[in-house]
Amino acid sequence: MDIVRNNQAQSAVTRVISFTSGKGGVGKTHTVVNTAISLAAQGHSVLVLDADMGLANVDVLLGIQPKGTLHEVLKGKCSLDDILIDAPGGISIIPAASGIEEIQNLGSGEKLLLMSEIERVAHRYDFLLIDTPAGIGSDVMYFNNAAAQIVCVITGEPTSLTDSYALIKVLSSEYAEREFSIVVNDVSSEAEAKIAFNSLTKAVGKFLQVETRFVGWIPSDNQVRQCIMERRPLALAFPSSPAARAILETSKSLVYSARRNRVKGGMQFFFRQLLELSYGEEAAR
Ligand SMILES: Nc1ncnc2c1ncn2[C@@H]1O[C@H](COP(=O)(O)OP(=O)(O)OP(=O)(O)O)[C@@H](O)[C@H]1O
Ligand SMILES: [Mg+2]
């Protein structure tokens, strides 16, 4: 499939955004899948990487069947193009690598191969969205570190806030991450979302040297549960539901904030492209 780059993206750089959370089950996968479809509806080309090696579920939510896994790519049995799947809503998916226990366990050659294969395929897209596992394991760190923008999905629950704090603490102290975009999911109102965002911001502001940015909120919506049960993405099944409309707004705000993606380090996807872009901007000033 030939993908024509969208003018709205305004650059040749693929925007790499990870979706992560300290606590499991806060709504990462449903947010990633429906954000991807919302971005596609705005004319962007979108690739989703299911980076949850243990509990893959992007394919489950979309009702699609993987043709192969990253594990087979790493073993040289097929190329990444062979396992790429076209999914509903005009998005593409790299299914999770069941068969690999942890990225940490891969040799440095395999890690490089994984990164260059993903880059080779992802450069055709405007956005690469990564659905990370929950927690503070090595895979979570690897993929968040490789993304230009980290979206931390939280809910209003105290456990979600403390677990997000723990995740941000590790990412900032051990991986020098300084900026975190926050999406508050499964809340009853914007006011409730802002309370959750403010308490997290207050805690990280007091003890960690990081910046948090509110990028959106998604209401609790029974149609989210219904869609997950029926393996249909909300953005297509119920596009005018409150949660689908909120995700569309969130995706617009992500397009805006993605323009500020920075160069972080050598492990980052499209490090060279970002470096060239920032030199170009510098020279134009
Ligand atoms: N906005 C919402 N309204 C109602 N229910 C929701 C909402 N968001 C998430 N849920 C519920 O939470 C469940 C978990 O969502 P999801 O699988 O997206 O979480 P996750 O963070 O990806 O989980 P994991 O950490 O296990 O990967 C869903 O099955 C759904 O029932
Ligand atoms: Mg998930």
Side-chain angles (χ1 to χ4, degrees), residues 6 8 21 24 28 41 45 49 59 75 107 141 179 181 200 205-206 212 237 248 253 255 269-270 272 275 278 283:
N6 190 292
Q8 280 170 282
S21 70
K28 286 180 299 302
S45 50
L49 167 63
D59 51 314
K75 292 286 158 223
M141 299 305 150
E179 281 183 30
S181 301
L200 179 65
K206 199 166 176 185
T212 50
L248 181 63
S253 144
V255 171
F269 283 120
F270 302 106
R272 257 202 16 230
L275 205 61
S278 67

Side-chain angles (χ1 to χ4, degrees), residues 29 33 44 96 109 114 149 215:
T29 304
V33 162
H44 301 287
L114 179 69
Q149 182 175 7
V215 288

